[in-house]
Amino acid sequence: MKLKALNGFKDILPGEVELWQGVETMARQIFTRFGFSEIRMPILEKTELFARSIGEATDIVEKEMYTFSDKQITMRPEATASLLRAYLEHGLHVQKPVQRLFTIGPMFRHERPQKGRLRQFHQMDAEVLGAESPLVDVELMSMGSMFLDQLGLSVTLELNSLGCPACRPAFREKLLAFIDARHEALCDDCQRRSATNPLRVLDCKNRNCRHQVEEAPSIQEHLCQECADHFQAVQQGLQQLNVDYSLNKFMVRGLDYYTRTTFEFITSDLGAQAAVGAGGRYDGLIERLGGPAIPGIGFALGLERLILLLQQKNETTLTSHCDLFIAGLGQAASSLAFSLVHTLRRNHLHVLMDLEDRGLKNQMKQANRAGAGHVLIIGEEELEKGQAILRNMVSQEQQMITLPGQIQDRQTTIDALLTIING
Ligand code: HAM
């Protein structure tokens, strides 16, 4: 029997992992620029944490969680609940009134695998805890947009408000009356949902259900004054920062903890799995988990979907390509190359060489494959003259570099290489 990875679980191999590293590095840089600190939580949590936060009547909790039912523990299906548990457990709310935290790691949902949808997937998740201002919503969405923009991805930001416990019940009743009148025409899932979670009917993917709810009442027109003002201020802030967005009254989200602002980053390039990221405000959730009344907002981006989009653009790496490949020919040249490579790496250059005594043609192939910016060729003849050829792989220009006669002269060669390569 051939041993294979489980369906919906995927290895990330060299050749692809570079792209992951590039995306993660860029996220860390941008999130840090916005004042976020990294936090890392365990993958297993008590099942109750997810039931109480995500909501009993959600697809995630009802049917998608990997739960060890004999132990009442679950592999996290998302990061927000775990992050809030850690935030409360370690009293981070006491240390600082506003906490900005991010985390990157695997999540687990037992969904039907398809392109962009896995059972183990990875999220980059950012949360701001302790701030109610609509400007925080704006800042968070602008951070997501800036990040996606820097990745070179064109993604639409869709925005909605889900109101609060003061205004949502009345809207729910109105929507329920609308849905009840069309009950028979809805899919089985929606007929079931209309009793437990009627707002979810609004974002059913079934084409007929979509048609049925086209004229449904809009929550944006049923917000209480506080929620309406908040929503207005969020939109003004986005306009002030020139962050493009479009309103989507059908966006409900598959997790029940949201209040007020909800948003999704949508692409048209991934078929059915259109959301590359999503999030929103969850004022009230921290209290529900046993903490004080602290507001919160956050979002998570799906790494697999970002990687697919980048691969579709033929992006192979976002990190710097190999700076220099040193091709040594013959034993003496290879030995010199070996120590030069080591010293250049200590000087922060990305340097490669061949350790298997292969010929020049083969070594040039390796340099090309690694995307080397320069190749330093140390042939036997050149070595005798104390020189090597440095080829710029983009312009194809060549120049001679003086090799160290004595070990103590090595720094001159290193300095010359660093000056040229670092431009
Ligand atoms: P979510 O919409 O369930 O929200 O997931 C966020 C993102 O994770 C999605 O937009 C998608 O890119 C990715 N994702 C979700 N499920 C899968 C899957 N099976 N395969 C691949 N990618 C997937 C949350 O998880 C919330 N915790 C977001 C949040 C943070 N809200 C407030 N703070």
Side-chain angles (χ1 to χ4, degrees):
M1 184 189 63
K2 251 199 194 149
L3 289 173
K4 291 174 95 179
L6 298 171
N7 193 15
F9 291 71
K10 192 173 159 285
D11 301 305
I12 304 162
L13 302 178
E16 183 181 323
V17 83
E18 293 74 11
L19 204 47
W20 285 72
Q21 290 165 343
V23 173
E24 288 168 16
T25 304
M26 196 184 284
R28 286 197 163 84
Q29 281 166 355
I30 294 182
F31 293 1
T32 311
R33 217 185 291 159
F34 277 76
F36 284 74
S37 305
E38 186 168 356
I39 179 169
R40 300 183 189 190
M41 300 85 63
I43 282 165
L44 278 177
E45 297 274 1
K46 288 198 178 127
T47 306
E48 185 196 348
L49 172 67
F50 302 117
R52 264 167 64 184
S53 52
I54 299 169
E56 300 273 6
T58 56
D59 285 353
I60 297 179
V61 173
E62 271 182 354
K63 47 186 186 201
E64 291 170 3
M65 295 207 303
Y66 283 91
T67 295
F68 300 86
S69 45
D70 55 335
K71 300 202 168 58
Q72 305 297 319
I73 53 178
T74 291
M75 291 169 78
R76 61 182 187 193
E78 57 116 46
T80 313
S82 312
L83 190 144
L84 294 187
R85 196 264 314 132
Y87 166 79
L88 288 174
E89 183 173 337
H90 301 286
L92 300 188
H93 55 301
V94 185
Q95 290 173 20
K96 223 168 38 171
V98 179
Q99 286 279 5
R100 293 158 177 259
L101 301 167
F102 78 91
T103 194
I104 302 177
M107 311 292 152
F108 303 84
R109 293 184 197 173
H110 192 268
E111 293 189 86
R112 199 160 42 80
Q114 54 176 253
K115 184 177 168 192
R117 190 161 76 193
L118 287 108
R119 292 180 170 172
Q120 175 178 334
F121 60 99
H122 297 74
Q123 284 188 342
M124 291 190 294
D125 179 283
E127 313 283 348
V128 184
L129 309 165
E132 203 169 10
S133 164
L135 290 183
V136 172
D137 309 34
V138 172
E139 202 182 34
L140 198 70
M141 284 184 269
S142 74
M143 181 172 87
S145 288
M146 190 182 290
F147 171 66
L148 293 165
D149 215 45
Q150 291 211 358
L151 286 178
L153 300 178
S154 90
V155 165
T156 322
L157 171 62
E158 295 193 352
L159 181 69
N160 197 11
S161 172
L162 291 182
C164 69
C167 50
R168 204 184 303 163
F171 172 72
R172 191 177 184 274
E173 286 311 310
K174 198 158 182 187
L175 180 66
L176 211 46
F178 178 90
I179 291 172
D180 276 349
R182 292 156 182 81
H183 190 80
E184 294 310 315
L186 298 174
C187 72
D188 291 349
D189 264 353
C190 283
Q191 291 192 357
R192 192 174 48 80
R193 277 186 198 133
S194 58
T196 52
N197 208 346
L199 266 73
R200 285 305 315 267
V201 175
L202 289 176
D203 76 348
C204 178
K205 301 286 176 280
N206 180 303
R207 201 189 286 176
N208 183 47
C209 295
R210 275 180 176 252
H211 175 64
Q212 291 297 325
V213 298
E214 249 165 34
E215 300 300 323
S218 165
I219 188 151
Q220 292 166 21
E221 282 150 24
H222 293 80
L223 299 173
C224 60
Q225 197 54 50
E226 281 83 7
C227 287
D229 290 347
H230 195 275
F231 195 40
Q232 189 60 32
V234 168
Q235 293 182 64
Q236 274 167 0
L238 289 172
Q239 287 158 20
Q240 185 187 342
L241 299 188
N242 286 326
V243 178
D244 288 335
Y245 66 93
S246 58
L247 295 178
N248 178 359
K249 68 170 188 173
F250 300 106
M251 186 207 304
V252 174
R253 311 281 300 117
L255 305 95
D256 276 355
Y257 48 58
Y258 292 110
T259 51
R260 295 191 170 170
T261 310
T262 49
F263 56 97
E264 289 184 345
F265 293 106
I266 299 290
T267 173
S268 50
D269 298 330
L270 279 184
Q273 308 310 315
V276 295
R281 193 164 264 291
Y282 44 80
D283 303 345
L285 176 58
I286 294 177
E287 218 174 346
R288 241 185 8 258
L289 292 176
I294 294 174
I297 179 166
F299 72 82
L301 294 156
L303 259 156
E304 279 76 6
R305 295 186 190 175
L306 295 178
I307 300 293
L308 276 173
L309 287 173
L310 290 167
Q311 285 172 335
Q312 284 178 14
K313 284 169 38 107
N314 290 327
E315 194 74 66
T316 52
T317 171
L318 294 171
T319 48
S320 66
H321 291 268
C322 166
D323 296 309
L324 176 69
F325 189 99
I326 304 190
L329 302 169
Q331 215 196 335
S334 293
S335 169
L336 173 62
F338 193 58
S339 40
L340 283 178
V341 165
H342 184 68
T343 315
L344 286 163
R345 285 179 181 154
R346 286 181 74 102
N347 282 277
H348 310 287
L349 279 202
H350 178 162
V351 194
L352 295 174
M353 73 172 283
D354 171 70
L355 299 175
E356 307 286 334
D357 279 339
R358 292 193 178 90
L360 182 60
K361 211 166 148 194
N362 185 299
Q363 294 200 42
M364 291 308 286
K365 232 190 226 169
Q366 292 183 51
N368 271 321
R369 220 180 288 139
H374 287 84
V375 177
L376 185 70
I377 304 163
I378 313 179
E380 280 169 334
E381 248 175 62
E382 286 92 358
L383 188 63
E384 264 174 35
K385 290 191 213 140
Q387 291 203 315
I389 302 164
L390 182 68
R391 183 183 297 171
N392 181 317
M393 297 297 278
V394 181
S395 66
Q396 296 298 319
E397 279 166 24
Q398 300 199 149
Q399 57 185 300
M400 299 311 283
I401 295 285
T402 307
L403 292 174
Q406 307 284 329
I407 202 118
Q408 61 268 27
D409 300 337
R410 192 181 305 158
Q411 195 55 43
T412 322
T413 306
I414 297 289
D415 287 345
L417 286 169
L418 287 173
T419 309
I420 298 166
I421 290 165
N422 289 328

